[in-house]
Amino acid sequence: MAEAGSFADRVKQQADIVRVIGEYVRLKKSGQNFTGLCPFHGEKTPSFAVHPVKQIFHCFGCGKGGDVFSFVMEMEKCPFPEAVKVVAEKCGIPVPRPKERTPEERKENQQRAVLIEIHREAQAFFVRQLESTAEGRAARAYLEDRGLNAETIAGFGIGYAPSGGDVLLRQLKPKYADKLLVESGVISRDQSGARLFDRFRRRITFPIANESGKIVAFGCRALGDDLPKYLNSPETPIYSKSNVLYHMDRAKEPIRRQDFAILVEGYMDAIAVARAGIGNVVASCGTSLAEPQIKLLGRFTKRVIVNYDPDVAGQAATERSLTLLLEQDFEVRVLALPAIGDKKADPDLFIREKGAEAYIKLLKEAPPYVDYLIARARQMDLSTGEGKQRALNFLMPYVQRIPNRLLRSEWATRIAQQLRIDEPVLRAALNKSATERRSEVKVSPQLVGKPAKQIERRLIRMLAEAEGFKKELAQRLQHGRLYEGLETEKVFAALIVAGLSDEPIPATEIGAQLDERERRVFFEILFEDAQEPTWEEAESCLDALRRRQIEQELAKVQKTIEANPSGAGLRELLERKQELMKQLTAAGQPG
Ligand SMILES: [Zn+2]
């Protein structure tokens, strides 16, 4: 991945993997390696190793392994360029500004910068309107009525879009081309295309920032009974609603620290929860959570409490989100707030009425999603067989997504008890669906290959690091095609290509060419304690492979002869057999 001469390559050369990983894992020196408890799977005895010379890590438990960048990518749940930056920063290497490659890219970047600038100006404008106009003061009274004080209003950048229809437009028009104003989404064009006007009118404005804190859109709530109640920015070159979570820019640190996030529906909910002192809250801004939003969240935590509105739409949204979150391996709990009087409570209303303490208490008690779902299923009519079947059909897709078999089994028991369903019947249904699903479940133990034989392991190790003779060894293996048919054939093939090249090729690069199972075998071999290789030993390994090759051909010839003892070509076959037996004797006996 790190191209020679690239910035990533430079960072890799300079970064000390032991130091970088040491910031996440307590490492102890053990022989030539460092070991510690694997951060990627739960364990009590260390099976996680870091190789300071080869600059690689490998876990003998779960099989994760790679270089310093793959470690950071996995740990921080971030893409490669981000990982390069993280490592560079940890090692004090200045990060260059990204260069645009083509004129189009430069134009796009410039355009994005202008769109962000327009949002910055619009934001300042909305805030001013709320502060200093008569209309704005009415909006302020409304906000205060909803329990938002001046500090919160300022803290969340809440503003007001006036009713005039072109007040913002007049402000922006002298500075920006019409086309860019429309592209930004804060200004609209009427159907004739002739007239421009403010998109948001007579609305409270909530700035929506991207992950790095730049305002890229607005979410706006009608002040009166105007419809729609909520109106948001359209999709623009800087904003896609499925990529952004409201409040993520501020929530990411608390989320990382506490290793869980609270997911709510709207900005008012997020603001209410954040004001209650719970910073790790984000809003999906709309009832449906999209996969990119989950991936964004997944970079910071894999644990989430879903606290959507308790109405029908909110329940449907909760269940849809659950499916997506479970697919992305999240650990999910669901908080369904109790009604207040006869009103169904969203987080905003609940905190206003009952206070932050009460909310935090419920948050702590939020049940795992299966409990929530069982409770939902119990609301269905369970008095008939059909009703039970419906309840079961409702639950089954979620239960199937529980990756852990024991846990799945436990839930099956609970569901059977709670819905009064015959347990064997339920288990049969569950097992059936589990089998159907098997192909999509990633089972890592299957990846563990049979251990490569000792001779193969030694040769692989020599090919990887016997600086004195690895080229010679690669040539010999290549020439006699001695590695063909070995279980580790692909590892050999990659190492031979590397060995024959004059450039040194690092282990991680070779690992990157292998599939997961072969990479594991390869890394395990690199971490084995082993004595210095000698050419003598290499030769004896080569002899062994040669013998194996001859023996295999001999067996094949013998089989052909036996299959057709009177056939044509028997003479040639017998001659070949003699020849092979002679070779075998010359190759010596296995020592
Ligand atoms: Zn592990």
Side-chain angles (χ1 to χ4, degrees), residues 38 41 59 62:
C38 176
H41 82 279
C59 174
C62 66

Side-chain angles (χ1 to χ4, degrees), residues 254-506:
I255 289 174
R256 209 199 299 269
R257 240 187 355 258
Q258 298 178 53
D259 193 17
F260 82 97
I262 298 143
L263 181 68
V264 296
E265 249 179 69
Y267 354 100
M268 286 300 275
D269 296 322
I271 291 171
V273 174
R275 281 185 68 214
I278 305 158
N280 51 334
V281 61
V282 292
S284 51
C285 283
T287 45
S288 59
L289 186 66
E291 201 178 305
Q293 289 176 315
I294 295 174
K295 292 215 161 120
L296 170 64
L297 192 57
R299 282 173 37 206
F300 301 96
T301 187
K302 283 286 190 183
R303 294 163 60 206
V304 63
I305 300 180
V306 180
N307 181 197
Y308 276 1
D309 294 355
D311 56 13
V312 176
Q315 274 174 354
T318 302
E319 280 142 31
R320 234 183 355 258
S321 308
L322 278 181
T323 313
L324 284 168
L325 286 163
L326 296 175
E327 267 166 12
Q328 302 286 331
D329 284 332
F330 271 79
E331 185 189 314
V332 190
R333 293 194 284 150
V334 179
L335 173 56
L337 294 168
I340 295 174
D342 56 355
K343 271 193 284 187
K344 298 193 162 171
D346 58 28
D348 177 30
L349 178 70
F350 186 89
I351 292 172
R352 257 188 294 142
E353 298 279 326
K354 299 280 175 182
E357 294 283 307
Y359 183 76
I360 292 171
K361 184 167 178 287
L362 288 179
L363 204 56
K364 284 190 180 139
E365 292 164 358
Y369 73 97
V370 186
D371 276 331
Y372 163 83
L373 291 167
I374 291 177
R376 288 268 296 129
R378 287 187 62 175
Q379 290 163 6
M380 297 175 188
D381 172 22
L382 297 176
S383 60
T384 65
E386 271 169 29
K388 281 185 183 179
Q389 187 61 50
R390 251 199 314 279
L392 204 53
N393 287 343
F394 165 75
L395 287 172
M396 210 48 95
Y398 300 104
V399 180
Q400 277 168 38
R401 286 190 165 82
I402 304 174
N404 184 306
R405 196 170 53 84
L406 280 175
L407 213 57
R408 208 163 54 225
S409 162
E410 197 185 309
W411 283 117
T413 307
R414 291 185 62 166
I415 290 169
Q417 283 165 357
Q418 301 253 352
L419 304 189
R420 300 216 179 78
I421 292 171
D422 191 22
E423 197 170 329
V425 174
L426 178 70
R427 280 183 187 281
L430 200 58
N431 285 341
K432 185 164 167 283
S433 51
T435 331
E436 280 157 7
R437 203 178 112 79
R438 186 156 300 153
S439 59
E440 44 179 283
V441 183
K442 335 168 233 176
V443 184
S444 50
Q446 285 177 348
L447 290 172
V448 187
K450 274 183 234 138
K453 300 208 181 59
Q454 193 50 31
I455 288 168
E456 296 172 44
R457 298 181 92 92
R458 279 305 282 162
L459 282 169
I460 286 171
R461 183 73 181 250
M462 291 183 223
L463 276 173
E465 58 192 29
E467 293 306 328
F469 59 79
K470 68 182 191 188
K471 190 165 183 178
E472 167 86 23
L473 184 59
Q475 280 164 348
R476 297 274 281 268
L477 281 159
Q478 169 85 326
H479 183 71
R481 315 204 68 72
L482 292 174
Y483 61 99
E484 281 181 358
L486 293 177
E487 229 170 289
T488 49
E489 179 177 340
K490 292 208 176 100
V491 181
F492 272 95
L495 280 166
I496 287 168
V497 172
L500 293 176
S501 109
D502 289 317
E503 295 285 310
I505 296 175

Side-chain angles (χ1 to χ4, degrees), residues 38-41 43 47-48 59-64:
C38 176
F40 305 120
H41 82 279
E43 62 174 9
S47 50
F48 177 85
C59 174
F60 289 82
C62 66
K64 287 237 156 65

Side-chain angles (χ1 to χ4, degrees), residues 80 100 144 188 241 294 361 371 442 482 493 531 586:
F80 180 73
E100 298 113 355
E144 274 159 18
S188 300
K241 84 171 188 277
I294 295 174
K361 184 167 178 287
D371 276 331
K442 335 168 233 176
L482 292 174
Q531 81 248 33

Side-chain angles (χ1 to χ4, degrees), residues 189-196:
R189 198 190 282 281
D190 72 0
Q191 286 192 330
S192 74
R195 200 178 63 88
L196 300 187

Side-chain angles (χ1 to χ4, degrees), residues 63-118:
K64 287 237 156 65
D67 63 6
V68 66
F69 298 137
S70 36
F71 179 86
V72 171
M73 282 162 76
E74 187 73 33
M75 214 53 211
E76 302 279 347
K77 305 280 175 230
C78 67
F80 180 73
E82 185 75 26
V84 175
K85 249 195 265 173
V86 170
V87 175
E89 273 158 19
K90 282 190 194 304
C91 303
I93 304 163
V95 181
R97 285 169 58 90
K99 273 200 291 277
E100 298 113 355
R101 289 201 198 97
T102 63
E104 292 85 62
E105 270 177 344
R106 177 167 328 140
K107 209 176 140 223
E108 271 172 32
N109 283 348
Q110 277 168 353
Q111 190 206 22
R112 268 196 288 270
V114 175
L115 294 182
I116 284 175
E117 181 60 25
I118 292 174

Side-chain angles (χ1 to χ4, degrees), residues 122-123 125-127 129-131 134-149 152-154 156-163 199-208 217-226 228-233 246 267-268 271:
Q123 168 64 8
F125 169 83
F126 293 143
V127 167
Q129 292 292 313
L130 186 70
E131 276 168 2
E135 239 186 286
R137 272 193 291 279
R140 236 185 144 82
Y142 164 85
L143 286 169
E144 274 159 18
D145 194 45
R146 303 255 328 217
L148 299 183
N149 57 18
T152 307
I153 292 171
F156 288 89
I158 300 170
Y160 179 70
S163 51
R199 166 183 284 266
F200 307 117
R201 299 174 304 279
R202 212 162 97 86
R203 283 172 181 274
I204 309 271
T205 61
F206 298 85
I208 298 174
F218 291 97
C220 301
R221 190 194 189 287
L223 192 55
D225 294 326
D226 296 359
K229 190 165 158 195
Y230 290 100
L231 180 66
N232 291 357
S233 290
Y246 178 71
Y267 354 100
M268 286 300 275
I271 291 171

